Structure formats: C-alpha cells, structure tokens
Amino acid sequence: MKFKIEKNIKIINELIAYFYKFGTTDVHIDLNSDSKNSYFNIYGKIDNISKDELESLIDILNTPRQREVENYYWNLGGECEFDTELTLVGMMINSAKVTYIDNVLTISIIREES
C-alpha cells in the first residue's frame, strides 16, 4: 500500500497526542509490520479517565475502515494542536482493543495493508 510508513507515523502521532491530552509523560509504543498487517500497541499511565471517555475512545477507534478517506485524507491528521484526530485514525484501521486497568490505558490496533 502506498505511503504505509507515513500513515503508520500519523497514527502513532495521533495516539501519542491522545495520551498527552491526559497528562501522561510515560508512553510506550510497540509497532510491528509485515507485508500484510501493521500492529500497534501503545500504553501509558493515565489517572482518572472517565468511563464515558473510554467508551467514546472505543467507539471512535472501532469506526468501520473507510479506505477512500484513508487514501485521500490521511495527511490531514495532526493539523490541530488542541485536539486529536482519532476519528481519522478509526477510519484508517481495521480493529482496536482498549483496556484500562490499574490506571494504565492500553490501545492495541491492527491495520491491514492489503
């Protein structure tokens, strides 16, 4: 797929911005790619994230993938320094799992490359 690395970097940037929005300074990222998929795992300590915020995050990241949006608008991510473009991330990925245990938020994403 065209611009695979650049798209993955945009996704990572948006996820890091989301963590920073909640004041975390210790974010961990694992990114693995093969010819078929990219796997993202990002986690960090966030105190007091609300249930509504978590539910919203899960809904946004599990928006059905929209390749037409990805192909034309992926470069728009990161244009706003006050908010994240997680909706765009949700449209660029195939699945996301979100957990929040002992004040550690973990987001695991799979993005198919085909």
Side-chain angles (χ1 to χ4, degrees), residues 67-109:
R67 292 185 190 274
E68 64 278 1
V69 171
E70 176 181 345
N71 288 332
Y72 295 106
Y73 300 109
W74 66 270
N75 58 350
L76 296 177
E79 294 299 318
C80 178
E81 61 185 81
F82 300 110
D83 198 8
T84 61
E85 294 293 334
L86 289 179
T87 303
L88 183 58
V89 170
M91 293 179 197
M92 294 175 65
I93 64 174
N94 294 84
S95 66
K97 180 181 176 188
V98 176
T99 60
Y100 184 62
I101 300 170
D102 296 329
N103 292 341
V104 176
L105 178 64
T106 302
I107 302 172
S108 300
I109 291 174

mmCIF file of all heavy atoms in Angstrom, residues 67-109:
data_model
loop_
_atom_site.group_PDB
_atom_site.id
_atom_site.type_symbol
_atom_site.label_atom_id
_atom_site.label_comp_id
_atom_site.label_asym_id
_atom_site.label_seq_id
_atom_site.Cartn_x
_atom_site.Cartn_y
_atom_site.Cartn_z
ATOM 1 N N ARG A 67 -11.489 3.134 3.349
ATOM 2 C CA ARG A 67 -10.278 3.277 2.534
ATOM 3 C C ARG A 67 -10.271 4.541 1.685
ATOM 4 O O ARG A 67 -9.218 5.119 1.451
ATOM 5 C CB ARG A 67 -10.083 2.040 1.675
ATOM 6 C CG ARG A 67 -9.742 0.821 2.501
ATOM 7 C CD ARG A 67 -9.424 -0.379 1.633
ATOM 8 N NE ARG A 67 -9.322 -1.584 2.426
ATOM 9 C CZ ARG A 67 -8.226 -1.980 3.038
ATOM 10 N NH1 ARG A 67 -7.129 -1.261 2.962
ATOM 11 N NH2 ARG A 67 -8.211 -3.086 3.741
ATOM 12 N N GLU A 68 -11.450 4.983 1.240
ATOM 13 C CA GLU A 68 -11.480 6.209 0.439
ATOM 14 C C GLU A 68 -11.035 7.412 1.255
ATOM 15 O O GLU A 68 -10.341 8.291 0.758
ATOM 16 C CB GLU A 68 -12.866 6.440 -0.178
ATOM 17 C CG GLU A 68 -13.983 6.682 0.808
ATOM 18 C CD GLU A 68 -14.582 5.427 1.439
ATOM 19 O OE1 GLU A 68 -14.125 4.303 1.140
ATOM 20 O OE2 GLU A 68 -15.491 5.564 2.264
ATOM 21 N N VAL A 69 -11.398 7.449 2.534
ATOM 22 C CA VAL A 69 -10.948 8.521 3.420
ATOM 23 C C VAL A 69 -9.448 8.400 3.629
ATOM 24 O O VAL A 69 -8.706 9.377 3.554
ATOM 25 C CB VAL A 69 -11.703 8.475 4.765
ATOM 26 C CG1 VAL A 69 -11.087 9.436 5.764
ATOM 27 C CG2 VAL A 69 -13.174 8.776 4.566
ATOM 28 N N GLU A 70 -9.013 7.176 3.890
ATOM 29 C CA GLU A 70 -7.585 6.931 4.116
ATOM 30 C C GLU A 70 -6.752 7.367 2.919
ATOM 31 O O GLU A 70 -5.725 8.024 3.062
ATOM 32 C CB GLU A 70 -7.368 5.450 4.388
ATOM 33 C CG GLU A 70 -5.925 5.075 4.534
ATOM 34 C CD GLU A 70 -5.748 3.593 4.775
ATOM 35 O OE1 GLU A 70 -6.721 2.902 5.109
ATOM 36 O OE2 GLU A 70 -4.614 3.132 4.646
ATOM 37 N N ASN A 71 -7.190 7.011 1.734
ATOM 38 C CA ASN A 71 -6.404 7.292 0.535
ATOM 39 C C ASN A 71 -6.309 8.780 0.223
ATOM 40 O O ASN A 71 -5.324 9.229 -0.347
ATOM 41 C CB ASN A 71 -6.983 6.548 -0.666
ATOM 42 C CG ASN A 71 -6.729 5.066 -0.581
ATOM 43 O OD1 ASN A 71 -5.752 4.634 0.030
ATOM 44 N ND2 ASN A 71 -7.601 4.289 -1.167
ATOM 45 N N TYR A 72 -7.319 9.557 0.590
ATOM 46 C CA TYR A 72 -7.318 10.969 0.228
ATOM 47 C C TYR A 72 -7.029 11.921 1.378
ATOM 48 O O TYR A 72 -6.529 13.012 1.171
ATOM 49 C CB TYR A 72 -8.656 11.350 -0.408
ATOM 50 C CG TYR A 72 -8.870 10.644 -1.717
ATOM 51 C CD1 TYR A 72 -9.772 9.596 -1.820
ATOM 52 C CD2 TYR A 72 -8.136 10.997 -2.841
ATOM 53 C CE1 TYR A 72 -9.948 8.927 -3.014
ATOM 54 C CE2 TYR A 72 -8.304 10.335 -4.045
ATOM 55 C CZ TYR A 72 -9.211 9.305 -4.128
ATOM 56 O OH TYR A 72 -9.379 8.629 -5.304
ATOM 57 N N TYR A 73 -7.337 11.518 2.603
ATOM 58 C CA TYR A 73 -7.280 12.470 3.706
ATOM 59 C C TYR A 73 -6.341 12.096 4.843
ATOM 60 O O TYR A 73 -6.291 12.783 5.850
ATOM 61 C CB TYR A 73 -8.692 12.692 4.276
ATOM 62 C CG TYR A 73 -9.639 13.224 3.238
ATOM 63 C CD1 TYR A 73 -10.643 12.426 2.729
ATOM 64 C CD2 TYR A 73 -9.500 14.515 2.749
ATOM 65 C CE1 TYR A 73 -11.511 12.903 1.749
ATOM 66 C CE2 TYR A 73 -10.350 15.001 1.777
ATOM 67 C CZ TYR A 73 -11.351 14.192 1.283
ATOM 68 O OH TYR A 73 -12.193 14.656 0.325
ATOM 69 N N TRP A 74 -5.576 11.025 4.702
ATOM 70 C CA TRP A 74 -4.703 10.604 5.797
ATOM 71 C C TRP A 74 -3.706 11.681 6.181
ATOM 72 O O TRP A 74 -3.296 11.793 7.319
ATOM 73 C CB TRP A 74 -3.978 9.301 5.457
ATOM 74 C CG TRP A 74 -3.010 9.431 4.328
ATOM 75 C CD1 TRP A 74 -3.266 9.246 3.004
ATOM 76 C CD2 TRP A 74 -1.630 9.771 4.417
ATOM 77 N NE1 TRP A 74 -2.132 9.446 2.266
ATOM 78 C CE2 TRP A 74 -1.108 9.777 3.112
ATOM 79 C CE3 TRP A 74 -0.773 10.075 5.473
ATOM 80 C CZ2 TRP A 74 0.214 10.071 2.826
ATOM 81 C CZ3 TRP A 74 0.541 10.368 5.188
ATOM 82 C CH2 TRP A 74 1.016 10.366 3.881
ATOM 83 N N ASN A 75 -3.337 12.519 5.225
ATOM 84 C CA ASN A 75 -2.343 13.556 5.519
ATOM 85 C C ASN A 75 -2.907 14.720 6.322
ATOM 86 O O ASN A 75 -2.176 15.599 6.724
ATOM 87 C CB ASN A 75 -1.696 14.057 4.235
ATOM 88 C CG ASN A 75 -2.696 14.621 3.256
ATOM 89 O OD1 ASN A 75 -3.889 14.488 3.425
ATOM 90 N ND2 ASN A 75 -2.211 15.245 2.215
ATOM 91 N N LEU A 76 -4.222 14.718 6.594
ATOM 92 C CA LEU A 76 -4.811 15.791 7.393
ATOM 93 C C LEU A 76 -4.590 15.600 8.892
ATOM 94 O O LEU A 76 -4.692 16.536 9.663
ATOM 95 C CB LEU A 76 -6.317 15.884 7.132
ATOM 96 C CG LEU A 76 -6.723 16.267 5.712
ATOM 97 C CD1 LEU A 76 -8.233 16.237 5.597
ATOM 98 C CD2 LEU A 76 -6.160 17.619 5.331
ATOM 99 N N GLY A 77 -4.299 14.384 9.310
ATOM 100 C CA GLY A 77 -4.081 14.120 10.729
ATOM 101 C C GLY A 77 -2.944 14.961 11.268
ATOM 102 O O GLY A 77 -1.954 15.203 10.610
ATOM 103 N N GLY A 78 -3.121 15.450 12.498
ATOM 104 C CA GLY A 78 -2.074 16.235 13.147
ATOM 105 C C GLY A 78 -2.094 17.705 12.806
ATOM 106 O O GLY A 78 -1.203 18.440 13.187
ATOM 107 N N GLU A 79 -3.129 18.175 12.146
ATOM 108 C CA GLU A 79 -3.187 19.574 11.750
ATOM 109 C C GLU A 79 -3.650 20.493 12.878
ATOM 110 O O GLU A 79 -3.479 21.683 12.807
ATOM 111 C CB GLU A 79 -4.132 19.739 10.544
ATOM 112 C CG GLU A 79 -3.631 19.056 9.291
ATOM 113 C CD GLU A 79 -2.297 19.602 8.804
ATOM 114 O OE1 GLU A 79 -2.099 20.833 8.824
ATOM 115 O OE2 GLU A 79 -1.448 18.802 8.417
ATOM 116 N N CYS A 80 -4.250 19.926 13.912
ATOM 117 C CA CYS A 80 -4.771 20.725 15.012
ATOM 118 C C CYS A 80 -3.968 20.419 16.268
ATOM 119 O O CYS A 80 -3.874 19.275 16.681
ATOM 120 C CB CYS A 80 -6.244 20.405 15.243
ATOM 121 S SG CYS A 80 -6.953 21.294 16.631
ATOM 122 N N GLU A 81 -3.416 21.442 16.884
ATOM 123 C CA GLU A 81 -2.592 21.199 18.058
ATOM 124 C C GLU A 81 -3.398 21.120 19.352
ATOM 125 O O GLU A 81 -2.855 20.800 20.386
ATOM 126 C CB GLU A 81 -1.500 22.263 18.193
ATOM 127 C CG GLU A 81 -2.029 23.666 18.357
ATOM 128 C CD GLU A 81 -0.921 24.686 18.365
ATOM 129 O OE1 GLU A 81 -0.447 25.060 17.286
ATOM 130 O OE2 GLU A 81 -0.525 25.111 19.479
ATOM 131 N N PHE A 82 -4.702 21.334 19.306
ATOM 132 C CA PHE A 82 -5.511 21.315 20.511
ATOM 133 C C PHE A 82 -6.401 20.085 20.634
ATOM 134 O O PHE A 82 -7.013 19.877 21.646
ATOM 135 C CB PHE A 82 -6.393 22.572 20.578
ATOM 136 C CG PHE A 82 -5.585 23.825 20.591
ATOM 137 C CD1 PHE A 82 -5.578 24.668 19.504
ATOM 138 C CD2 PHE A 82 -4.806 24.153 21.696
ATOM 139 C CE1 PHE A 82 -4.823 25.826 19.519
ATOM 140 C CE2 PHE A 82 -4.043 25.299 21.707
ATOM 141 C CZ PHE A 82 -4.060 26.140 20.613
ATOM 142 N N ASP A 83 -6.495 19.280 19.617
ATOM 143 C CA ASP A 83 -7.363 18.123 19.655
ATOM 144 C C ASP A 83 -6.739 17.022 18.823
ATOM 145 O O ASP A 83 -5.866 17.271 18.006
ATOM 146 C CB ASP A 83 -8.743 18.487 19.104
ATOM 147 C CG ASP A 83 -9.809 17.491 19.512
ATOM 148 O OD1 ASP A 83 -9.518 16.604 20.341
ATOM 149 O OD2 ASP A 83 -10.938 17.602 19.015
ATOM 150 N N THR A 84 -7.171 15.819 19.047
ATOM 151 C CA THR A 84 -6.651 14.714 18.272
ATOM 152 C C THR A 84 -7.625 14.365 17.159
ATOM 153 O O THR A 84 -8.791 14.713 17.209
ATOM 154 C CB THR A 84 -6.432 13.474 19.159
ATOM 155 O OG1 THR A 84 -7.684 13.091 19.708
ATOM 156 C CG2 THR A 84 -5.430 13.746 20.243
ATOM 157 N N GLU A 85 -7.131 13.701 16.158
ATOM 158 C CA GLU A 85 -7.935 13.266 15.025
ATOM 159 C C GLU A 85 -8.163 11.765 15.106
ATOM 160 O O GLU A 85 -7.909 11.035 14.166
ATOM 161 C CB GLU A 85 -7.239 13.660 13.719
ATOM 162 C CG GLU A 85 -7.145 15.145 13.497
ATOM 163 C CD GLU A 85 -8.508 15.792 13.274
ATOM 164 O OE1 GLU A 85 -9.446 15.117 12.807
ATOM 165 O OE2 GLU A 85 -8.631 16.976 13.603
ATOM 166 N N LEU A 86 -8.665 11.314 16.230
ATOM 167 C CA LEU A 86 -8.874 9.890 16.418
ATOM 168 C C LEU A 86 -9.940 9.340 15.481
ATOM 169 O O LEU A 86 -9.899 8.160 15.128
ATOM 170 C CB LEU A 86 -9.240 9.586 17.868
ATOM 171 C CG LEU A 86 -8.114 9.750 18.871
ATOM 172 C CD1 LEU A 86 -8.615 9.445 20.269
ATOM 173 C CD2 LEU A 86 -6.940 8.857 18.530
ATOM 174 N N THR A 87 -10.870 10.158 15.058
ATOM 175 C CA THR A 87 -11.876 9.696 14.100
ATOM 176 C C THR A 87 -11.204 9.259 12.813
ATOM 177 O O THR A 87 -11.539 8.211 12.249
ATOM 178 C CB THR A 87 -12.904 10.808 13.820
ATOM 179 O OG1 THR A 87 -13.495 11.198 15.058
ATOM 180 C CG2 THR A 87 -13.980 10.333 12.877
ATOM 181 N N LEU A 88 -10.250 10.027 12.355
ATOM 182 C CA LEU A 88 -9.499 9.663 11.151
ATOM 183 C C LEU A 88 -8.707 8.384 11.382
ATOM 184 O O LEU A 88 -8.670 7.504 10.511
ATOM 185 C CB LEU A 88 -8.564 10.804 10.747
ATOM 186 C CG LEU A 88 -7.760 10.613 9.470
ATOM 187 C CD1 LEU A 88 -8.666 10.380 8.272
ATOM 188 C CD2 LEU A 88 -6.862 11.813 9.227
ATOM 189 N N VAL A 89 -8.114 8.235 12.555
ATOM 190 C CA VAL A 89 -7.395 7.002 12.884
ATOM 191 C C VAL A 89 -8.358 5.822 12.810
ATOM 192 O O VAL A 89 -8.041 4.779 12.235
ATOM 193 C CB VAL A 89 -6.729 7.084 14.277
ATOM 194 C CG1 VAL A 89 -6.197 5.724 14.707
ATOM 195 C CG2 VAL A 89 -5.605 8.117 14.267
ATOM 196 N N GLY A 90 -9.546 5.969 13.383
ATOM 197 C CA GLY A 90 -10.536 4.903 13.349
ATOM 198 C C GLY A 90 -10.894 4.480 11.935
ATOM 199 O O GLY A 90 -11.148 3.308 11.669
ATOM 200 N N MET A 91 -10.899 5.436 11.016
ATOM 201 C CA MET A 91 -11.224 5.142 9.621
ATOM 202 C C MET A 91 -10.062 4.502 8.864
ATOM 203 O O MET A 91 -10.246 3.999 7.767
ATOM 204 C CB MET A 91 -11.645 6.419 8.907
ATOM 205 C CG MET A 91 -12.936 6.992 9.389
ATOM 206 S SD MET A 91 -13.294 8.511 8.496
ATOM 207 C CE MET A 91 -14.532 9.228 9.545
ATOM 208 N N MET A 92 -8.865 4.532 9.460
ATOM 209 C CA MET A 92 -7.670 4.007 8.791
ATOM 210 C C MET A 92 -7.239 2.636 9.309
ATOM 211 O O MET A 92 -6.287 2.070 8.804
ATOM 212 C CB MET A 92 -6.510 4.987 8.976
ATOM 213 C CG MET A 92 -6.708 6.309 8.286
ATOM 214 S SD MET A 92 -5.386 7.489 8.645
ATOM 215 C CE MET A 92 -3.987 6.682 7.895
ATOM 216 N N ILE A 93 -7.926 2.122 10.325
ATOM 217 C CA ILE A 93 -7.523 0.857 10.931
ATOM 218 C C ILE A 93 -8.637 -0.174 10.811
ATOM 219 O O ILE A 93 -9.786 0.172 10.530
ATOM 220 C CB ILE A 93 -7.116 1.045 12.405
ATOM 221 C CG1 ILE A 93 -8.293 1.515 13.250
ATOM 222 C CG2 ILE A 93 -5.933 2.003 12.505
ATOM 223 C CD1 ILE A 93 -8.020 1.583 14.725
ATOM 224 N N ASN A 94 -8.279 -1.424 11.033
ATOM 225 C CA ASN A 94 -9.261 -2.498 10.932
ATOM 226 C C ASN A 94 -9.879 -2.879 12.270
ATOM 227 O O ASN A 94 -11.045 -3.236 12.330
ATOM 228 C CB ASN A 94 -8.631 -3.726 10.287
ATOM 229 C CG ASN A 94 -8.269 -3.438 8.862
ATOM 230 O OD1 ASN A 94 -7.209 -2.893 8.600
ATOM 231 N ND2 ASN A 94 -9.150 -3.760 7.936
ATOM 232 N N SER A 95 -9.081 -2.831 13.340
ATOM 233 C CA SER A 95 -9.639 -3.161 14.648
ATOM 234 C C SER A 95 -8.810 -2.521 15.747
ATOM 235 O O SER A 95 -7.633 -2.220 15.566
ATOM 236 C CB SER A 95 -9.692 -4.680 14.851
ATOM 237 O OG SER A 95 -8.387 -5.212 14.902
ATOM 238 N N ALA A 96 -9.484 -2.305 16.877
ATOM 239 C CA ALA A 96 -8.813 -1.731 18.041
ATOM 240 C C ALA A 96 -9.379 -2.356 19.305
ATOM 241 O O ALA A 96 -10.581 -2.592 19.409
ATOM 242 C CB ALA A 96 -9.005 -0.222 18.082
ATOM 243 N N LYS A 97 -8.500 -2.600 20.239
ATOM 244 C CA LYS A 97 -8.893 -3.086 21.564
ATOM 245 C C LYS A 97 -8.357 -2.084 22.581
ATOM 246 O O LYS A 97 -7.185 -1.695 22.520
ATOM 247 C CB LYS A 97 -8.306 -4.467 21.825
ATOM 248 C CG LYS A 97 -8.678 -5.031 23.170
ATOM 249 C CD LYS A 97 -8.060 -6.393 23.388
ATOM 250 C CE LYS A 97 -8.392 -6.874 24.798
ATOM 251 N NZ LYS A 97 -7.663 -8.097 25.134
ATOM 252 N N VAL A 98 -9.223 -1.671 23.488
ATOM 253 C CA VAL A 98 -8.850 -0.682 24.501
ATOM 254 C C VAL A 98 -9.097 -1.289 25.871
ATOM 255 O O VAL A 98 -10.171 -1.825 26.137
ATOM 256 C CB VAL A 98 -9.690 0.606 24.338
ATOM 257 C CG1 VAL A 98 -9.365 1.602 25.441
ATOM 258 C CG2 VAL A 98 -9.478 1.224 22.958
ATOM 259 N N THR A 99 -8.073 -1.212 26.739
ATOM 260 C CA THR A 99 -8.242 -1.632 28.123
ATOM 261 C C THR A 99 -7.720 -0.534 29.049
ATOM 262 O O THR A 99 -6.821 0.221 28.677
ATOM 263 C CB THR A 99 -7.504 -2.962 28.430
ATOM 264 O OG1 THR A 99 -6.106 -2.785 28.180
ATOM 265 C CG2 THR A 99 -8.041 -4.101 27.590
ATOM 266 N N TYR A 100 -8.303 -0.478 30.231
ATOM 267 C CA TYR A 100 -7.861 0.471 31.263
ATOM 268 C C TYR A 100 -7.866 -0.267 32.595
ATOM 269 O O TYR A 100 -8.917 -0.487 33.189
ATOM 270 C CB TYR A 100 -8.789 1.680 31.292
ATOM 271 C CG TYR A 100 -8.361 2.766 32.251
ATOM 272 C CD1 TYR A 100 -7.155 3.429 32.088
ATOM 273 C CD2 TYR A 100 -9.189 3.138 33.305
ATOM 274 C CE1 TYR A 100 -6.771 4.434 32.964
ATOM 275 C CE2 TYR A 100 -8.816 4.140 34.180
ATOM 276 C CZ TYR A 100 -7.603 4.788 34.001
ATOM 277 O OH TYR A 100 -7.225 5.785 34.863
ATOM 278 N N ILE A 101 -6.692 -0.701 33.018
ATOM 279 C CA ILE A 101 -6.545 -1.496 34.238
ATOM 280 C C ILE A 101 -5.454 -0.871 35.097
ATOM 281 O O ILE A 101 -4.350 -0.609 34.616
ATOM 282 C CB ILE A 101 -6.179 -2.956 33.899
ATOM 283 C CG1 ILE A 101 -7.272 -3.583 33.026
ATOM 284 C CG2 ILE A 101 -5.957 -3.765 35.176
ATOM 285 C CD1 ILE A 101 -6.902 -4.922 32.433
ATOM 286 N N ASP A 102 -5.764 -0.625 36.365
ATOM 287 C CA ASP A 102 -4.805 -0.046 37.315
ATOM 288 C C ASP A 102 -4.179 1.239 36.789
ATOM 289 O O ASP A 102 -2.963 1.448 36.859
ATOM 290 C CB ASP A 102 -3.713 -1.056 37.673
ATOM 291 C CG ASP A 102 -4.251 -2.276 38.401
ATOM 292 O OD1 ASP A 102 -5.256 -2.128 39.132
ATOM 293 O OD2 ASP A 102 -3.682 -3.367 38.230
ATOM 294 N N ASN A 103 -5.016 2.108 36.222
ATOM 295 C CA ASN A 103 -4.612 3.410 35.676
ATOM 296 C C ASN A 103 -3.677 3.313 34.469
ATOM 297 O O ASN A 103 -2.999 4.285 34.136
ATOM 298 C CB ASN A 103 -3.990 4.297 36.747
ATOM 299 C CG ASN A 103 -4.994 4.734 37.783
ATOM 300 O OD1 ASN A 103 -6.206 4.693 37.562
ATOM 301 N ND2 ASN A 103 -4.517 5.156 38.933
ATOM 302 N N VAL A 104 -3.622 2.173 33.823
ATOM 303 C CA VAL A 104 -2.824 2.027 32.604
ATOM 304 C C VAL A 104 -3.777 1.823 31.429
ATOM 305 O O VAL A 104 -4.542 0.852 31.392
ATOM 306 C CB VAL A 104 -1.831 0.850 32.695
ATOM 307 C CG1 VAL A 104 -1.096 0.656 31.381
ATOM 308 C CG2 VAL A 104 -0.838 1.095 33.832
ATOM 309 N N LEU A 105 -3.739 2.774 30.513
ATOM 310 C CA LEU A 105 -4.535 2.690 29.296
ATOM 311 C C LEU A 105 -3.707 1.985 28.232
ATOM 312 O O LEU A 105 -2.568 2.377 27.968
ATOM 313 C CB LEU A 105 -4.925 4.088 28.802
ATOM 314 C CG LEU A 105 -5.727 4.136 27.499
ATOM 315 C CD1 LEU A 105 -7.085 3.465 27.665
ATOM 316 C CD2 LEU A 105 -5.891 5.582 27.037
ATOM 317 N N THR A 106 -4.280 0.965 27.636
ATOM 318 C CA THR A 106 -3.612 0.215 26.573
ATOM 319 C C THR A 106 -4.506 0.214 25.338
ATOM 320 O O THR A 106 -5.705 -0.084 25.445
ATOM 321 C CB THR A 106 -3.330 -1.233 27.001
ATOM 322 O OG1 THR A 106 -2.531 -1.217 28.186
ATOM 323 C CG2 THR A 106 -2.606 -2.008 25.901
ATOM 324 N N ILE A 107 -3.927 0.560 24.207
ATOM 325 C CA ILE A 107 -4.637 0.540 22.937
ATOM 326 C C ILE A 107 -3.853 -0.378 21.998
ATOM 327 O O ILE A 107 -2.679 -0.147 21.745
ATOM 328 C CB ILE A 107 -4.738 1.952 22.321
ATOM 329 C CG1 ILE A 107 -5.442 2.915 23.296
ATOM 330 C CG2 ILE A 107 -5.466 1.900 20.980
ATOM 331 C CD1 ILE A 107 -5.403 4.374 22.849
ATOM 332 N N SER A 108 -4.540 -1.403 21.511
ATOM 333 C CA SER A 108 -3.924 -2.348 20.563
ATOM 334 C C SER A 108 -4.691 -2.263 19.245
ATOM 335 O O SER A 108 -5.919 -2.385 19.234
ATOM 336 C CB SER A 108 -3.984 -3.772 21.105
ATOM 337 O OG SER A 108 -3.280 -3.854 22.328
ATOM 338 N N ILE A 109 -3.962 -2.049 18.173
ATOM 339 C CA ILE A 109 -4.574 -1.788 16.856
ATOM 340 C C ILE A 109 -3.980 -2.739 15.811
ATOM 341 O O ILE A 109 -2.786 -3.006 15.825
ATOM 342 C CB ILE A 109 -4.317 -0.331 16.433
ATOM 343 C CG1 ILE A 109 -5.118 0.611 17.332
ATOM 344 C CG2 ILE A 109 -4.639 -0.100 14.974
ATOM 345 C CD1 ILE A 109 -4.834 2.070 17.112
#
